[in-house]
Structures are given as structure tokens and as C-alpha cells.
Coordinates of all heavy atoms in Angstrom, one line a residue:
P1 N 0.8 -1.2 0.0 CA 0.0 0.0 0.0 C 0.9 1.3 0.0 O 1.9 1.3 0.6 CB -0.8 -0.1 1.3 CG -0.1 -1.1 2.1 CD 0.7 -2.0 1.2
L2 N 0.4 2.3 -0.7 CA 1.1 3.5 -0.7 C 0.6 4.5 0.3 O -0.6 4.5 0.7 CB 0.9 4.2 -2.1 CG 1.4 3.4 -3.3 CD1 1.0 4.1 -4.6 CD2 2.9 3.4 -3.3
N3 N 1.5 5.2 0.9 CA 1.1 6.2 1.9 C 1.4 7.6 1.3 O 2.4 7.8 0.6 CB 2.0 6.1 3.2 CG 1.7 4.8 3.9 OD1 0.5 4.4 4.0 ND2 2.7 4.1 4.4
Y4 N 0.5 8.5 1.5 CA 0.6 9.9 1.1 C 0.5 10.8 2.2 O -0.3 10.6 3.2 CB -0.5 10.2 0.1 CG -0.4 9.5 -1.2 CD1 -1.2 8.3 -1.4 CD2 0.4 9.9 -2.2 CE1 -1.1 7.6 -2.5 CE2 0.5 9.2 -3.4 CZ -0.3 8.0 -3.6 OH -0.2 7.3 -4.7
I5 N 1.3 11.9 2.2 CA 1.2 13.0 3.1 C 0.7 14.2 2.4 O 1.2 14.6 1.4 CB 2.5 13.3 3.8 CG1 3.0 12.1 4.6 CG2 2.4 14.5 4.7 CD1 4.4 12.3 5.2
I6 N -0.4 14.7 2.8 CA -1.0 15.9 2.2 C -1.0 17.0 3.2 O -1.5 16.9 4.3 CB -2.5 15.6 1.8 CG1 -2.6 14.4 0.8 CG2 -3.1 16.9 1.2 CD1 -4.0 14.0 0.5
H7 N -0.3 18.1 2.8 CA -0.2 19.3 3.6 C -1.4 20.2 3.3 O -1.7 20.4 2.1 CB 1.1 20.0 3.4 CG 2.3 19.1 3.7 ND1 2.8 19.0 5.0 CD2 3.1 18.3 3.0 CE1 3.8 18.2 5.0 NE2 4.0 17.8 3.8
F8 N -2.0 20.7 4.3 CA -3.1 21.7 4.1 C -3.2 22.7 5.1 O -2.6 22.6 6.2 CB -4.4 20.9 4.0 CG -4.9 20.4 5.2 CD1 -5.8 21.1 6.0 CD2 -4.6 19.1 5.7 CE1 -6.3 20.6 7.2 CE2 -5.0 18.6 6.9 CZ -5.9 19.3 7.6
R9 N -3.8 23.8 4.8 CA -4.1 24.9 5.7 C -5.6 25.0 5.7 O -6.3 24.7 4.8 CB -3.5 26.2 5.2 CG -2.0 26.2 5.2 CD -1.5 27.6 4.7 NE -0.1 27.5 4.6 CZ 0.8 27.9 5.6 NH1 0.3 28.3 6.8 NH2 2.1 27.8 5.4
G10 N -6.1 25.6 6.8 CA -7.5 25.8 6.9 C -7.9 27.1 7.4 O -7.0 27.8 8.1
E11 N -9.0 27.5 7.2 CA -9.6 28.8 7.7 C -11.0 28.6 8.0 O -11.7 27.9 7.3 CB -9.4 29.9 6.7 CG -9.8 31.3 7.2 CD -9.2 32.4 6.5 OE1 -8.2 32.2 5.7 OE2 -9.7 33.5 6.7
V12 N -11.4 29.2 9.2 CA -12.8 29.0 9.6 C -13.3 30.4 9.9 O -12.6 31.2 10.6 CB -12.9 28.1 10.9 CG1 -14.3 28.1 11.3 CG2 -12.4 26.8 10.6
K13 N -14.5 30.8 9.4 CA -15.1 32.0 9.6 C -16.5 31.8 10.3 O -17.3 31.1 9.7 CB -15.3 32.8 8.4 CG -14.0 33.3 7.7 CD -13.4 34.4 8.5 CE -12.1 34.9 7.7 NZ -11.4 35.8 8.5
R14 N -16.7 32.4 11.4 CA -18.0 32.3 12.1 C -18.7 33.6 11.8 O -18.5 34.6 12.5 CB -17.8 32.1 13.6 CG -19.1 32.0 14.3 CD -18.8 31.8 15.8 NE -20.1 31.7 16.5 CZ -20.3 32.3 17.7 NH1 -19.4 32.9 18.3 NH2 -21.5 32.2 18.2
Y15 N -19.6 33.5 10.8 CA -20.4 34.7 10.4 C -21.8 34.3 10.6 O -22.2 33.2 10.6 CB -20.2 35.0 8.9 CG -18.8 35.6 8.6 CD1 -18.2 35.3 7.4 CD2 -18.2 36.5 9.5 CE1 -17.0 35.9 7.0 CE2 -17.0 37.0 9.1 CZ -16.4 36.7 7.9 OH -15.2 37.3 7.6
S16 N -22.6 35.4 10.7 CA -24.1 35.2 10.7 C -24.5 34.7 9.4 O -23.8 34.8 8.4 CB -24.8 36.5 11.1 OG -24.7 37.4 10.0
R17 N -25.8 34.3 9.3 CA -26.3 33.8 8.0 C -26.4 34.9 7.0 O -26.6 34.6 5.8 CB -27.7 33.1 8.2 CG -27.5 31.8 9.0 CD -28.9 31.1 9.1 NE -29.6 31.9 10.1 CZ -30.8 31.5 10.6 NH1 -31.3 30.4 10.2 NH2 -31.4 32.3 11.5
T18 N -26.3 36.1 7.4 CA -26.5 37.2 6.4 C -25.2 37.7 5.9 O -25.1 38.6 5.0 CB -27.3 38.4 7.0 OG1 -26.6 38.8 8.2 CG2 -28.7 37.9 7.4
T19 N -24.1 37.3 6.4 CA -22.7 37.7 6.0 C -22.1 36.6 5.2 O -21.8 35.5 5.7 CB -21.9 38.1 7.2 OG1 -22.5 39.0 8.0 CG2 -20.5 38.6 6.8
A20 N -21.7 36.9 4.0 CA -21.1 35.9 3.1 C -19.6 36.0 3.0 O -19.0 37.1 3.3 CB -21.7 36.1 1.7
V21 N -19.0 34.9 2.7 CA -17.5 34.9 2.5 C -17.3 35.3 1.0 O -18.0 34.7 0.1 CB -17.0 33.5 2.7 CG1 -15.5 33.4 2.4 CG2 -17.2 33.1 4.2
T22 N -16.5 36.3 0.8 CA -16.3 36.8 -0.6 C -15.0 36.3 -1.2 O -14.2 35.7 -0.5 CB -16.2 38.4 -0.5 OG1 -15.0 38.7 0.3 CG2 -17.5 38.9 0.2
P23 N -14.8 36.6 -2.5 CA -13.5 36.2 -3.1 C -12.3 36.8 -2.4 O -11.2 36.1 -2.3 CB -13.6 36.8 -4.5 CG -15.1 36.9 -4.8 CD -15.7 37.2 -3.4
K24 N -12.4 37.9 -1.8 CA -11.3 38.5 -1.0 C -10.8 37.6 0.1 O -9.6 37.4 0.3 CB -11.7 39.9 -0.5 CG -10.7 40.6 0.4 CD -11.3 41.9 0.9 CE -10.4 42.5 1.9 NZ -11.0 43.8 2.5
H25 N -11.8 37.0 0.8 CA -11.4 36.1 1.9 C -10.7 34.9 1.4 O -9.7 34.4 1.9 CB -12.7 35.7 2.7 CG -13.4 36.7 3.3 ND1 -14.6 37.2 2.9 CD2 -13.2 37.5 4.5 CE1 -15.1 38.2 3.7 NE2 -14.2 38.3 4.6
V26 N -11.2 34.3 0.3 CA -10.7 33.1 -0.3 C -9.3 33.4 -0.8 O -8.3 32.6 -0.7 CB -11.6 32.5 -1.4 CG1 -11.0 31.3 -2.0 CG2 -13.0 32.1 -0.7
S27 N -9.1 34.5 -1.5 CA -7.8 34.9 -2.1 C -6.7 35.0 -1.0 O -5.6 34.6 -1.2 CB -7.9 36.2 -2.8 OG -8.8 36.1 -3.9
R28 N -7.1 35.5 0.2 CA -6.1 35.6 1.2 C -5.6 34.3 1.7 O -4.4 34.1 1.9 CB -6.7 36.4 2.4 CG -6.7 37.9 2.2 CD -7.0 38.6 3.5 NE -8.3 38.3 3.9 CZ -9.2 39.2 4.4 NH1 -8.8 40.4 4.6 NH2 -10.4 38.8 4.8
L29 N -6.5 33.3 1.7 CA -6.1 31.9 2.1 C -5.2 31.4 1.0 O -4.2 30.8 1.3 CB -7.4 31.1 2.3 CG -7.1 29.6 2.5 CD1 -6.2 29.4 3.8 CD2 -8.4 28.8 2.6
V30 N -5.6 31.5 -0.2 CA -4.8 31.0 -1.4 C -3.4 31.6 -1.4 O -2.4 30.9 -1.6 CB -5.5 31.2 -2.7 CG1 -4.7 30.9 -3.9 CG2 -6.8 30.4 -2.8
A31 N -3.3 32.9 -1.1 CA -2.0 33.6 -1.1 C -1.1 33.0 0.0 O 0.2 33.0 -0.2 CB -2.2 35.1 -0.8
R32 N -1.6 32.4 1.1 CA -0.8 31.8 2.1 C -0.4 30.4 1.8 O 0.4 29.8 2.6 CB -1.5 31.9 3.4 CG -1.7 33.3 4.0 CD -2.1 33.4 5.4 NE -3.2 32.5 5.7 CZ -4.5 32.9 5.8 NH1 -4.8 34.2 5.5 NH2 -5.4 32.1 6.1
L33 N -0.9 29.8 0.8 CA -0.6 28.4 0.5 C 0.8 28.2 0.0 O 1.2 29.0 -0.8 CB -1.6 27.8 -0.5 CG -3.0 27.6 0.0 CD1 -3.9 27.1 -1.2 CD2 -3.1 26.7 1.2
G34 N 1.5 27.2 0.4 CA 2.8 26.9 -0.1 C 2.6 25.9 -1.3 O 1.5 25.5 -1.6
R35 N 3.7 25.5 -1.9 CA 3.6 24.6 -3.0 C 3.1 23.2 -2.5 O 3.4 22.8 -1.4 CB 5.0 24.4 -3.5 CG 5.6 25.6 -4.3 CD 6.8 25.2 -5.0 NE 6.4 24.3 -6.1 CZ 7.2 24.0 -7.0 NH1 8.4 24.4 -7.1 NH2 6.7 23.2 -8.0
Q36 N 2.2 22.7 -3.3 CA 1.6 21.4 -3.0 C 0.8 21.3 -1.7 O 0.7 20.3 -1.0 CB 2.7 20.3 -3.0 CG 3.3 20.1 -4.3 CD 4.4 19.1 -4.4 OE1 4.9 18.6 -3.3 NE2 4.8 18.6 -5.6
E37 N 0.3 22.5 -1.3 CA -0.6 22.6 -0.1 C -2.0 22.7 -0.6 O -2.3 23.3 -1.6 CB -0.3 23.7 0.8 CG 0.9 23.5 1.7 CD 1.1 24.6 2.7 OE1 0.8 25.8 2.4 OE2 1.5 24.3 3.8
Y38 N -2.9 22.2 0.2 CA -4.3 22.3 -0.1 C -5.0 23.0 1.1 O -4.4 23.1 2.1 CB -4.9 20.9 -0.3 CG -4.3 20.2 -1.5 CD1 -3.2 19.3 -1.4 CD2 -4.9 20.4 -2.8 CE1 -2.7 18.7 -2.5 CE2 -4.3 19.8 -3.9 CZ -3.2 18.9 -3.7 OH -2.6 18.3 -4.8
S39 N -6.2 23.4 0.9 CA -6.9 24.1 2.0 C -8.3 23.8 2.1 O -9.0 23.4 1.1 CB -6.6 25.6 1.8 OG -7.2 26.0 0.6
L40 N -8.8 24.0 3.3 CA -10.3 23.9 3.6 C -10.7 25.2 4.1 O -10.0 25.8 5.0 CB -10.5 22.8 4.7 CG -10.1 21.4 4.4 CD1 -10.3 20.6 5.7 CD2 -11.0 20.9 3.3
F41 N -11.8 25.7 3.6 CA -12.3 27.0 4.1 C -13.8 26.7 4.6 O -14.6 26.3 3.8 CB -12.4 28.0 3.0 CG -12.5 29.4 3.5 CD1 -11.6 30.4 3.1 CD2 -13.5 29.8 4.3 CE1 -11.7 31.7 3.5 CE2 -13.6 31.1 4.8 CZ -12.7 32.0 4.4
V42 N -13.9 26.8 5.9 CA -15.2 26.4 6.5 C -15.8 27.7 7.0 O -15.2 28.6 7.6 CB -15.0 25.4 7.7 CG1 -16.3 25.1 8.3 CG2 -14.3 24.2 7.2
T43 N -17.1 27.9 6.8 CA -17.9 29.0 7.4 C -19.2 28.6 7.9 O -19.8 27.6 7.4 CB -18.0 30.1 6.3 OG1 -18.7 31.2 7.0 CG2 -18.9 29.7 5.1
T44 N -19.7 29.3 8.9 CA -21.0 29.0 9.4 C -22.1 29.7 8.5 O -23.2 29.5 8.7 CB -21.2 29.6 10.9 OG1 -20.8 31.0 10.9 CG2 -20.3 28.8 11.8
S45 N -21.6 30.6 7.6 CA -22.6 31.2 6.7 C -22.5 30.6 5.3 O -22.8 29.4 5.2 CB -22.3 32.7 6.6 OG -21.0 33.0 6.1
Y46 N -22.2 31.4 4.3 CA -22.2 30.8 2.9 C -21.1 31.6 2.1 O -20.6 32.6 2.5 CB -23.6 31.0 2.3 CG -24.0 32.4 2.1 CD1 -23.9 33.0 0.9 CD2 -24.6 33.1 3.1 CE1 -24.3 34.3 0.7 CE2 -25.0 34.4 3.0 CZ -24.8 35.0 1.7 OH -25.2 36.3 1.6
F47 N -20.8 31.1 0.9 CA -19.9 31.7 0.0 C -20.6 32.4 -1.1 O -21.6 31.8 -1.6 CB -18.9 30.6 -0.6 CG -18.1 30.0 0.4 CD1 -18.5 28.8 1.1 CD2 -16.9 30.5 0.8 CE1 -17.8 28.2 2.0 CE2 -16.1 29.9 1.8 CZ -16.5 28.7 2.4
T48 N -20.2 33.6 -1.5 CA -20.8 34.3 -2.6 C -20.6 33.4 -3.9 O -19.7 32.6 -4.0 CB -20.3 35.7 -2.8 OG1 -18.9 35.6 -3.2 CG2 -20.4 36.6 -1.6
E49 N -21.5 33.7 -4.8 CA -21.4 33.0 -6.1 C -20.0 33.3 -6.8 O -19.4 32.4 -7.3 CB -22.5 33.4 -7.0 CG -22.6 32.5 -8.3 CD -23.8 32.9 -9.2 OE1 -24.8 33.2 -8.6 OE2 -23.6 32.9 -10.4
Q50 N -19.6 34.5 -6.6 CA -18.3 34.9 -7.2 C -17.2 34.2 -6.6 O -16.2 33.7 -7.2 CB -18.1 36.4 -7.1 CG -16.9 36.9 -7.8 CD -16.7 38.4 -7.7 OE1 -17.5 39.1 -7.1 NE2 -15.7 38.9 -8.4
A51 N -17.2 34.0 -5.2 CA -16.1 33.3 -4.5 C -16.1 31.8 -5.0 O -15.0 31.3 -5.2 CB -16.3 33.3 -3.0
Q52 N -17.3 31.2 -5.1 CA -17.3 29.8 -5.6 C -16.8 29.7 -7.0 O -16.0 28.8 -7.4 CB -18.8 29.3 -5.6 CG -19.3 29.2 -4.1 CD -20.8 28.8 -4.2 OE1 -21.1 27.8 -4.7 NE2 -21.6 29.7 -3.6
R53 N -17.2 30.7 -7.9 CA -16.7 30.6 -9.3 C -15.2 30.8 -9.4 O -14.6 30.1 -10.2 CB -17.4 31.8 -10.0 CG -17.4 31.6 -11.5 CD -18.2 32.6 -12.3 NE -19.5 32.9 -11.8 CZ -19.9 34.1 -11.3 NH1 -19.0 35.1 -11.3 NH2 -21.1 34.3 -10.8
E54 N -14.6 31.6 -8.6 CA -13.2 31.8 -8.6 C -12.4 30.6 -8.2 O -11.4 30.2 -8.8 CB -12.7 33.0 -7.7 CG -12.9 34.3 -8.3 CD -12.2 35.4 -7.5 OE1 -11.2 35.1 -6.8 OE2 -12.6 36.6 -7.7
V55 N -12.9 29.9 -7.2 CA -12.3 28.6 -6.8 C -12.3 27.6 -7.9 O -11.3 26.9 -8.2 CB -12.9 28.0 -5.5 CG1 -12.5 26.6 -5.3 CG2 -12.6 28.9 -4.3
L56 N -13.5 27.5 -8.6 CA -13.6 26.6 -9.7 C -12.8 27.0 -11.0 O -12.1 26.2 -11.6 CB -15.1 26.4 -10.0 CG -15.9 25.7 -9.0 CD1 -17.4 25.7 -9.4 CD2 -15.4 24.2 -8.8
T57 N -13.0 28.2 -11.4 CA -12.4 28.6 -12.7 C -10.9 28.8 -12.6 O -10.1 28.6 -13.5 CB -13.0 29.9 -13.2 OG1 -12.8 30.9 -12.2 CG2 -14.5 29.7 -13.5
D58 N -10.4 29.2 -11.4 CA -8.9 29.4 -11.2 C -8.2 28.1 -10.7 O -7.0 28.1 -10.5 CB -8.6 30.5 -10.3 CG -9.0 31.9 -10.9 OD1 -9.2 31.9 -12.1 OD2 -9.2 32.8 -10.1
S59 N -9.0 27.0 -10.5 CA -8.5 25.8 -10.0 C -7.7 25.9 -8.7 O -6.7 25.3 -8.6 CB -7.7 25.1 -11.1 OG -8.4 24.8 -12.2
Y60 N -8.2 26.7 -7.8 CA -7.6 26.9 -6.5 C -7.7 25.5 -5.8 O -8.7 24.8 -5.9 CB -8.3 27.9 -5.7 CG -8.1 29.3 -6.1 CD1 -9.1 30.3 -5.8 CD2 -7.0 29.8 -6.8 CE1 -8.9 31.6 -6.2 CE2 -6.8 31.1 -7.1 CZ -7.8 32.0 -6.8 OH -7.6 33.3 -7.2
P61 N -6.6 25.2 -5.1 CA -6.7 23.9 -4.3 C -7.4 24.2 -3.0 O -6.8 24.0 -1.9 CB -5.2 23.6 -4.1 CG -4.5 24.9 -4.1 CD -5.3 25.8 -5.0
V62 N -8.6 24.6 -3.1 CA -9.4 25.0 -1.9 C -10.7 24.2 -1.9 O -11.4 24.2 -3.0 CB -9.7 26.5 -1.9 CG1 -10.6 26.9 -0.7 CG2 -8.4 27.3 -1.8
H63 N -11.1 23.7 -0.8 CA -12.4 23.1 -0.7 C -13.3 23.9 0.2 O -12.9 24.2 1.3 CB -12.3 21.6 -0.1 CG -13.7 20.9 -0.1 ND1 -14.2 20.4 -1.2 CD2 -14.5 20.7 0.9 CE1 -15.4 19.8 -0.9 NE2 -15.6 20.1 0.4
L64 N -14.4 24.4 -0.3 CA -15.3 25.3 0.4 C -16.4 24.5 1.1 O -17.0 23.7 0.5 CB -16.0 26.3 -0.5 CG -15.0 27.2 -1.4 CD1 -15.9 28.0 -2.4 CD2 -14.1 28.0 -0.6
I65 N -16.5 24.8 2.4 CA -17.6 24.1 3.2 C -18.4 25.1 3.9 O -18.1 25.8 4.9 CB -16.9 23.2 4.3 CG1 -16.0 22.2 3.6 CG2 -18.0 22.5 5.1 CD1 -15.2 21.3 4.6
P66 N -19.6 25.4 3.3 CA -20.6 26.4 3.8 C -21.3 25.8 5.1 O -21.3 24.6 5.3 CB -21.6 26.6 2.7 CG -21.5 25.4 1.9 CD -20.1 24.8 2.0
G67 N -21.9 26.7 5.8 CA -22.6 26.3 7.0 C -23.6 25.1 6.9 O -23.7 24.2 7.7
V68 N -24.3 25.1 5.8 CA -25.3 24.1 5.5 C -24.7 22.7 5.4 O -25.1 21.7 6.0 CB -26.1 24.4 4.2 CG1 -26.9 23.2 3.8 CG2 -27.0 25.6 4.4
E69 N -23.5 22.7 4.7 CA -22.8 21.4 4.6 C -22.2 21.0 5.9 O -22.1 19.8 6.3 CB -21.7 21.5 3.5 CG -22.3 21.6 2.1 CD -23.3 20.5 1.7 OE1 -22.9 19.3 2.0 OE2 -24.3 20.8 1.2
L70 N -21.7 21.9 6.7 CA -21.2 21.7 8.0 C -22.2 21.0 8.9 O -21.9 20.0 9.6 CB -20.7 23.0 8.6 CG -20.0 22.8 10.0 CD1 -18.8 21.9 10.0 CD2 -19.6 24.2 10.5
V71 N -23.4 21.5 8.9 CA -24.5 21.0 9.7 C -24.8 19.6 9.2 O -25.0 18.6 10.0 CB -25.8 21.9 9.6 CG1 -27.0 21.2 10.2 CG2 -25.5 23.2 10.3
K72 N -24.9 19.4 7.9 CA -25.1 18.0 7.3 C -24.1 17.0 7.8 O -24.4 15.9 8.1 CB -25.2 18.1 5.8 CG -26.4 18.7 5.3 CD -26.4 18.7 3.7 CE -27.6 19.4 3.1 NZ -27.5 19.5 1.7
M73 N -22.8 17.4 7.8 CA -21.7 16.5 8.2 C -21.9 16.2 9.7 O -21.8 15.0 10.1 CB -20.4 17.2 8.0 CG -19.9 17.3 6.6 SD -18.2 18.0 6.6 CE -18.4 19.1 5.3
L74 N -22.2 17.2 10.5 CA -22.4 16.9 12.0 C -23.5 16.0 12.2 O -23.5 15.1 13.1 CB -22.6 18.3 12.7 CG -21.3 19.2 12.8 CD1 -21.7 20.5 13.4 CD2 -20.2 18.5 13.6
R75 N -24.6 16.2 11.5 CA -25.8 15.3 11.6 C -25.4 13.9 11.2 O -25.8 12.9 11.8 CB -27.0 15.8 10.9 CG -27.6 17.0 11.6 CD -28.8 17.5 10.8 NE -29.5 18.6 11.6 CZ -30.3 19.4 11.0 NH1 -30.7 19.3 9.8 NH2 -30.8 20.4 11.7
F76 N -24.7 13.8 10.0 CA -24.4 12.5 9.5 C -23.5 11.7 10.5 O -23.6 10.5 10.7 CB -23.6 12.6 8.2 CG -23.1 11.3 7.6 CD1 -24.0 10.5 6.9 CD2 -21.8 10.9 7.8 CE1 -23.6 9.3 6.4 CE2 -21.4 9.7 7.2 CZ -22.3 8.9 6.5
L77 N -22.6 12.4 11.2 CA -21.8 11.8 12.2 C -22.4 11.7 13.6 O -21.8 11.3 14.5 CB -20.5 12.6 12.3 CG -19.6 12.7 11.1 CD1 -18.5 13.7 11.2 CD2 -19.0 11.3 10.8
H78 N -23.7 12.0 13.6 CA -24.5 12.0 14.9 C -23.9 12.9 15.9 O -24.0 12.5 17.1 CB -24.7 10.5 15.4 CG -25.3 9.6 14.4 ND1 -26.6 9.7 14.0 CD2 -24.7 8.7 13.6 CE1 -26.8 8.8 13.1 NE2 -25.7 8.2 12.8
L79 N -23.3 14.0 15.5 CA -22.8 15.0 16.5 C -23.7 16.1 16.7 O -23.4 17.0 17.5 CB -21.4 15.4 16.0 CG -20.4 14.3 15.8 CD1 -19.1 14.9 15.3 CD2 -20.1 13.6 17.2
A80 N -24.7 16.2 15.9 CA -25.7 17.3 16.0 C -27.1 16.7 15.9 O -27.3 15.7 15.1 CB -25.5 18.3 14.9
E81 N -28.0 17.2 16.6 CA -29.4 16.8 16.5 C -30.3 18.0 16.4 O -30.1 19.0 17.1 CB -29.8 16.1 17.8 CG -29.0 14.8 18.1 CD -29.2 14.3 19.5 OE1 -29.8 14.9 20.3 OE2 -28.7 13.2 19.7
E82 N -31.2 18.0 15.5 CA -32.1 19.1 15.2 C -31.3 20.4 15.0 O -30.6 20.5 14.0 CB -33.1 19.3 16.4 CG -34.0 18.1 16.7 CD -35.1 17.9 15.6 OE1 -35.6 18.9 15.1 OE2 -35.4 16.7 15.3
T83 N -31.4 21.3 15.9 CA -30.7 22.6 15.7 C -29.5 22.8 16.7 O -29.0 23.9 16.8 CB -31.7 23.7 16.0 OG1 -32.2 23.6 17.3 CG2 -32.8 23.7 14.9
S84 N -29.0 21.7 17.3 CA -27.9 22.0 18.3 C -26.9 20.8 18.2 O -27.2 19.7 17.9 CB -28.4 22.1 19.7 OG -29.1 20.9 20.1
I85 N -25.7 21.1 18.6 CA -24.6 20.1 18.7 C -24.8 19.4 20.0 O -25.2 19.9 21.0 CB -23.2 20.8 18.7 CG1 -23.0 21.5 17.3 CG2 -22.1 19.9 19.0 CD1 -21.8 22.3 17.2
R86 N -24.5 18.1 19.9 CA -24.7 17.2 21.1 C -23.7 17.7 22.2 O -22.5 17.8 22.0 CB -24.4 15.8 20.8 CG -25.5 15.2 19.9 CD -25.3 13.7 19.6 NE -25.0 12.9 20.7 CZ -24.1 11.9 20.7 NH1 -23.5 11.6 19.6 NH2 -23.8 11.2 21.8
N87 N -24.2 18.0 23.4 CA -23.4 18.6 24.5 C -22.2 17.7 24.9 O -21.1 18.2 25.1 CB -24.3 18.9 25.7 CG -25.1 20.1 25.5 OD1 -24.7 21.0 24.8 ND2 -26.2 20.2 26.2
E88 N -22.4 16.4 25.0 CA -21.4 15.5 25.4 C -20.2 15.5 24.5 O -19.0 15.5 24.9 CB -21.8 14.1 25.7 CG -22.4 13.4 24.5 CD -23.9 13.6 24.4 OE1 -24.5 14.5 25.0 OE2 -24.5 12.9 23.5
W89 N -20.5 15.6 23.2 CA -19.4 15.7 22.2 C -18.7 17.1 22.3 O -17.5 17.2 22.3 CB -19.9 15.5 20.8 CG -18.8 15.6 19.7 CD1 -17.8 14.8 19.5 CD2 -18.6 16.7 18.9 NE1 -17.0 15.3 18.5 CE2 -17.5 16.5 18.1 CE3 -19.3 17.9 18.6 CZ2 -17.0 17.4 17.1 CZ3 -18.8 18.8 17.7 CH2 -17.7 18.5 17.0
L90 N -19.5 18.1 22.3 CA -18.9 19.5 22.4 C -18.0 19.6 23.6 O -17.0 20.2 23.6 CB -20.1 20.5 22.4 CG -19.6 22.0 22.3 CD1 -18.8 22.2 21.1 CD2 -20.9 22.8 22.4
E91 N -18.5 19.1 24.8 CA -17.7 19.2 26.0 C -16.4 18.4 25.9 O -15.3 18.8 26.3 CB -18.5 18.7 27.2 CG -19.6 19.6 27.6 CD -20.6 19.0 28.6 OE1 -20.3 17.9 29.1 OE2 -21.6 19.7 28.9
S92 N -16.4 17.3 25.2 CA -15.2 16.5 25.0 C -14.2 17.2 24.1 O -13.0 17.1 24.3 CB -15.5 15.1 24.4 OG -15.9 15.2 23.1
V93 N -14.7 17.9 23.1 CA -13.8 18.7 22.2 C -13.2 19.9 23.0 O -12.0 20.2 22.9 CB -14.6 19.2 21.0 CG1 -13.8 20.2 20.2 CG2 -15.0 18.0 20.1
L94 N -14.0 20.6 23.7 CA -13.6 21.8 24.5 C -12.6 21.4 25.6 O -11.8 22.2 26.0 CB -14.8 22.5 25.0 CG -15.7 23.2 23.9 CD1 -16.9 23.8 24.6 CD2 -14.9 24.2 23.1
A95 N -12.7 20.2 26.1 CA -11.8 19.7 27.2 C -10.4 19.5 26.7 O -9.5 19.5 27.5 CB -12.4 18.4 27.8
N96 N -10.2 19.2 25.4 CA -8.9 19.0 24.9 C -8.1 20.2 24.5 O -8.3 21.1 24.1 CB -9.0 18.0 23.7 CG -9.4 16.7 24.1 OD1 -9.1 16.2 25.1 ND2 -10.2 16.1 23.2

């Protein structure tokens, strides 16, 4: 079996549902990337259409995760129920 090491950087923005992540935010993350680095950009809100388009058309090595997808992931992993994160999991994360 082959083993791979993937270097990445991440950025997380906690915004309200009415504040979008713009191309300017994404560009700053891309500017900090080194060679052969990938990145995750997670937000509790959403990405503007222009920010999404730039990532796709410029082939940035960035994966965008909007708040809706974050909630879906947490629910899929049974870490969130209805509208809240499971307290026992949250407490275990904050304890570390």
C-alpha cells in the first residue's frame, strides 16, 4: 500500500447567516498556501457565487464548506441533533 502525506491549511469564519464569504477572503487563504498545499475553508454562513466561481475557474486547491454542509456533516456523524450540537461531544472537544 502507498502512503501519502497531504499538507493543508484551513480557515474558519464564524459569520451570521447574512454575511457571506467573498473572493477577497478566499484569495487571502490561497495567497498563504505553499507549494503542494491544499486548503479547507469552512464558514457558518455561505460563500458568494463569485467566490465559488473563482475557486472553480482558477482551479484553486481549496475546498469550500458552507454552514449548510457543516450541519449536514455533523448530523451524518450523529454529532448534532435538530438545531444543536450534542453537548457531550462538544464538552469532549472543548476539554482537549
Side-chain angles (χ1 to χ4, degrees):
L2 298 173
N3 293 319
Y4 294 96
I5 296 174
I6 299 174
H7 298 276
F8 70 94
R9 291 183 187 268
E11 185 157 344
V12 177
K13 294 287 184 189
R14 182 180 177 218
Y15 289 146
S16 71
R17 290 182 287 189
T18 59
T19 304
V21 176
T22 66
K24 178 181 168 183
H25 297 106
V26 177
S27 295
R28 281 192 294 220
L29 174 60
V30 171
R32 291 194 311 266
L33 292 177
R35 291 190 68 168
Q36 298 180 342
E37 280 188 327
Y38 298 92
S39 60
L40 298 173
F41 200 126
V42 181
T43 182
T44 53
S45 64
Y46 65 98
F47 297 91
T48 64
E49 188 176 323
Q50 185 180 3
Q52 295 174 59
R53 198 175 316 117
E54 278 193 25
V55 167
L56 292 173
T57 57
D58 293 341
S59 298
Y60 289 154
V62 178
H63 184 78
L64 304 177
I65 303 174
V68 169
E69 292 303 316
L70 182 59
V71 169
K72 287 179 183 178
M73 284 184 225
L74 291 171
R75 285 183 178 163
F76 177 80
L77 296 169
H78 303 289
L79 301 176
E81 298 169 350
E82 300 288 324
T83 59
S84 63
I85 294 175
R86 290 181 49 218
N87 283 333
E88 60 272 10
W89 177 74
L90 187 58
E91 288 171 5
S92 72
V93 171
L94 295 175
N96 292 323

